[in-house]
Amino acid sequence: MVMKNLDFRSDTVTLPTPEMLQAAVNDQVGDDVYGEDPSVNELERLGADMLGKEAGLFVTSGTMGNAVAILAHTNRGDEIILEERSHIYLNEVGGLAVMGSLMARTIKGDMGWLRPEDIKAAVRYDNIHLPPTSLLCIENTHNTAGGIPITVDQMKADWDVAKEHDLGVHLDGARVFNAAIALGVDVKEITQYADTVQICLSKGLAAPVGSLVLGPEALIKKARKYRKMLGGGMRQAGIIAAPGIIALTKMVDRLADDHENARILAEGLRKIDGIEIKFPVLSNMVYIDLSGLGWTGREWGEACRKLGWTSRGSSATVRLCTHYGIEREDIEAFLDGITGIVPNK
Ligand SMILES: Cc1ncc(COP(=O)(O)O)c(C=O)c1O
């Protein structure tokens, strides 16, 4: 039975499936720092195969995965190119500056996509005064652009311009399986246009902990060393890797349900006077603008609480995420309830 989880804040709140919990209990563990944990090894191999990469590395979180990948690609003093509202730039505690001594060159994306001409213009040329540009980071789906999937053609266009300038390409693919499902393509079609990819097991895929970094052997070897440096070398980590295997083998296809639920949620909310849907709803996120109601996220959160839901936001814009644990009938009940609570316009 799926446990109800009436929480719109994020797909990070997902609870593990009963099968994941069972797998954690049954796991045969070993010391992963010595490469001896069978489930970690299996998970790393599986992730690499699914994404079409040579090697994989299990890390504690998406933030750690992005950090070790970026460190593996760069040298101190390099400049890296990122979208100005990307998670790595906004929400990873400035790790690239602290740990990598890197400069961030941000570009405003077009719905999260970095236009090739803007990337080209941002790459530094060879001059004694300038830092070298060494890496391009892409986020797919792009969270603050509304969970928009960056298409395969868009990925290729960015990859081509990056490679013309000898840049590495790192994909923050925290939700790259959402992108693949939304675009109706195999995830490899997307990830072929990145050297390294970070994927989160602990978001829509519902594992309790962990991310993977996938990429070429040489870069993953460097990333593994950085993981150890950051204190991320885990010992009997199979206990958390075993649920990760189930996340990859059993939880990817059902992301389509989350997307459908997000679409139904958006359609229902759109009918309420005073609520505006901010972006096209193409994956598991719905961004709403409440200014027409004269509300901020605080009033919205209180209204949701009355219905038994958790939702949060400080400004008039609130993000709602659909995920495992929220079923279609929950969305329908929520829409019925919220329609009766919002002020009548
Ligand atoms: C796009 C994106 N990248 C990376 C992360 C970081 O993942 P974690 O919270 O596991 O560090 C998040 C987390 O929400 C995210 O949304």
Side-chain angles (χ1 to χ4, degrees), residues 41-56 171 173 176-178 180-181 185-194 197 199-201 205 212-215 241 243-255:
N41 292 340
E42 186 185 336
L43 176 63
E44 291 178 344
R45 189 66 264 144
L46 177 65
D49 290 346
M50 285 175 81
L51 271 69
K53 302 295 174 200
E54 269 175 17
L171 174 62
V176 74
F177 287 107
N178 293 88
I181 298 273
V185 299
D186 187 290
V187 71
K188 284 196 201 82
E189 303 250 336
I190 300 172
T191 58
Q192 67 180 313
Y193 297 120
V197 186
I199 60 169
C200 286
L201 305 167
L205 303 184
L212 289 169
V213 183
L214 300 316
I245 293 170
I246 292 163
L248 287 183
T249 50
K250 305 267 177 81
M251 300 298 281
V252 171
D253 291 346
R254 65 151 306 287
L255 293 174

